[in-house]
Amino acid sequence: AVNWCNTALNRLEGSKLNDNLKTLRKGEVHFLRAFYLWHITETWGNVALSTEESSGVITTAERKSTAEFYTQILDDLDKAITNLEGRIAHEGGRITKPAAEAFKARMLLTRASASYIEGSNSASDYQEAARLAKKVISDYSFELTEDYAAMWDMSNSEGDKNKEVIFFCNYTNDYVLGDYDLNGFNGNSNGANAFRTNPGNHLHLMYCPRYDFHPGMDIDLSGIGYQRYATTKHLVDLFDEDVDQRYYGTFREVWYCNSTSVGDYTDMQVGDTALVFTKKVVTPAERQRVAKKYRLLDATDIFDSNGVLQDNRNCIQMNKHSDPTRPTAMDVRSSRDAFVIRIAEMYLIVAEASMQISGGMDDAVDYMNDLRIKRAFSGKENQMRITQSDLDIDFILEERARELVGENLRWFDLKRTGKLIEYVQKYNSDAKNNSKEHHMLRPIPQTQLDAVTNKNDFKQNPGYN
């Protein structure tokens, strides 16, 4: 991907595009290169960094520091912002100036907060991150939604039409355009099956329990239970579901009967409640009340006393990416756009960055409260307010979990704040015994190590030999 960007930047001036399009395409490509470089250095650390188009076979790799990566990332984003001047509309998923500003705010916050990135002027980076995030909030048309659940409804799944979405990857429900073509809008599906690449957005496959193992339930458009990721007890316990609308806007607890195979649940009919997952501990009287109506799994049925899942087929579903508009129950193609940057993240960036700036705590609390009040149920706003004494990095991370769960940022957030190993060992009982310091980086693929000729200089990341 980086080399495609390098190639585009090398050849754009000689292209037949008009000057205006050249400027816009440069802005887009600089953004994309920054986006890819961020993933590369955060994933693998000090690896090869190239900004030139490849010419012939390259057999050596020279390590560059993460600090050098961030210097390049921020330089690319400055150029993106300059070249995208004036483009503030979504334009079908194309990159805009506010998207570049928002991503730069994320990158500055990362460089300021990450101890493993040398050369950062943290005070300056925090100030600029806060300034840019405030600018994106105030200068454009993005808005925090009144109804958190509605933001994730398929009727609002097109990034162009969703007021919360700053940058998104778009998918299509036109399967002629998006299918069976190497250049298809949704990717290639040749030879695909449930365990290989199919076109479309696949996030809806990642979080679904095996609800079809329970009486009264067959697989339907609710989702396919591939058992990829399950919510931890710590995650669901972060929410006060009586005050914060994000709990029911994020998770699914209730499943409705779609089958005549109801087992011993003799009072169950198609359309009735068939299955309930709850994070609460239910009383014996409540269990008795529903005993013949539907299956009920409470916190003691889902988790053991240490918080470990008792059965990895059963969990409270993270429901943001569900797509009941797919053509058939077993069709993995989703046309839901993937929301990459939302306006809510800008409030969180202002709060975290301002907390680190001298005299910035008032702003930190104000922006955090602006977000939290918007996420409160009507009449519960005051219960969502915080004060300065509540605000520290752990509260920030908890709030980012409540707001951004399932949006592919958590690993990066825990890594940059130095909390990755601590949080996994403290809150993820399934993974804690396997979590080590060297997991701050991923292993370099063996094919890469086999291909380079300077093997003494370019070696595997520590801990993976």
Side-chain angles (χ1 to χ4, degrees), residues 1-17 21-33 36 50-54 76:
V2 169
N3 195 53
W4 279 115
C5 293
N6 295 342
T7 301
L9 291 171
N10 185 42
R11 303 187 187 190
L12 261 171
E13 283 302 326
S15 75
K16 295 181 180 179
L17 297 176
L21 275 180
K22 284 181 183 179
T23 299
L24 291 174
R25 296 297 176 260
K26 284 179 185 176
E28 293 169 344
V29 174
H30 278 295
F31 175 98
L32 289 172
R33 186 166 69 180
Y36 299 138
S50 174
T51 58
E52 299 295 330
E53 177 183 357
S54 296
D76 275 329

Side-chain angles (χ1 to χ4, degrees), residues 242-293:
D242 297 324
V243 175
D244 191 337
Q245 58 173 291
R246 288 175 296 190
Y247 180 77
Y248 293 112
T250 298
F251 301 106
R252 177 175 182 176
E253 291 189 337
V254 181
W255 303 77
Y256 297 99
C257 177
N258 62 9
S259 170
T260 56
S261 300
V262 297
D264 294 333
Y265 295 86
T266 53
D267 294 339
M268 187 189 299
Q269 298 181 23
V270 172
D272 290 346
T273 298
L275 173 64
V276 173
F277 296 103
T278 176
K279 69 173 189 171
K280 299 176 181 177
V281 176
V282 173
T283 65
E286 177 64 11
R287 285 186 183 276
Q288 183 63 33
R289 186 184 70 80
V290 304
K292 290 294 183 181
K293 295 181 178 181

Side-chain angles (χ1 to χ4, degrees), residues 72-276:
Q72 183 61 51
I73 287 167
L74 292 166
D75 179 70
D76 275 329
L77 290 173
D78 284 338
K79 290 173 179 171
I81 291 167
T82 298
N83 282 278
L84 292 169
E85 179 68 41
R87 178 189 277 173
I88 59 174
H90 283 122
E91 294 191 24
R94 287 197 175 276
I95 298 152
T96 62
K97 180 177 180 179
E101 291 172 333
F103 188 58
K104 185 180 178 184
R106 184 193 289 180
M107 293 300 93
L108 287 165
L109 182 72
T110 300
R111 188 169 74 169
S113 60
S115 62
Y116 53 86
I117 304 175
E118 297 179 355
S120 166
N121 183 336
S122 294
S124 175
D125 282 353
Y126 280 128
Q127 288 175 344
E128 182 64 4
R131 185 193 71 81
L132 281 170
K134 289 178 182 178
K135 183 177 185 296
V136 175
I137 291 168
S138 64
D139 286 9
Y140 304 103
S141 59
F142 309 109
E143 299 175 3
L144 293 171
T145 182
E146 296 286 343
D147 185 340
Y148 189 79
M151 175 174 54
W152 299 104
D153 190 271
M154 280 303 293
S155 63
N156 290 313
S157 67
E158 293 182 39
D160 277 329
K161 300 176 182 178
N162 194 310
K163 289 287 190 179
E164 287 241 1
V165 179
I166 299 171
F167 175 55
F168 63 96
C169 293
N170 48 345
Y171 293 88
T172 181
N173 58 9
D174 182 344
Y175 295 128
V176 174
L177 174 66
D179 208 357
Y180 303 112
D181 176 0
L182 287 173
N183 296 311
F185 202 69
N186 279 358
N188 175 34
S189 66
N190 291 339
N193 58 50
F195 302 100
R196 296 180 63 187
T197 300
N198 293 74
N201 184 342
H202 283 195
L203 286 173
H204 68 99
L205 300 173
M206 298 293 112
Y207 303 93
C208 190
R210 287 307 305 265
Y211 63 92
D212 55 303
F213 278 25
H214 295 276
M217 296 303 305
D218 289 331
I219 291 177
D220 62 14
L221 289 170
S222 297
I224 308 172
Y226 284 161
Q227 304 162 249
R228 297 293 190 256
Y229 298 108
T231 48
T232 63
K233 189 174 189 304
H234 171 69
L235 173 62
V236 293
D237 285 346
L238 286 177
F239 295 79
D240 182 347
E241 66 274 18
D242 297 324
V243 175
D244 191 337
Q245 58 173 291
R246 288 175 296 190
Y247 180 77
Y248 293 112
T250 298
F251 301 106
R252 177 175 182 176
E253 291 189 337
V254 181
W255 303 77
Y256 297 99
C257 177
N258 62 9
S259 170
T260 56
S261 300
V262 297
D264 294 333
Y265 295 86
T266 53
D267 294 339
M268 187 189 299
Q269 298 181 23
V270 172
D272 290 346
T273 298
L275 173 64
V276 173

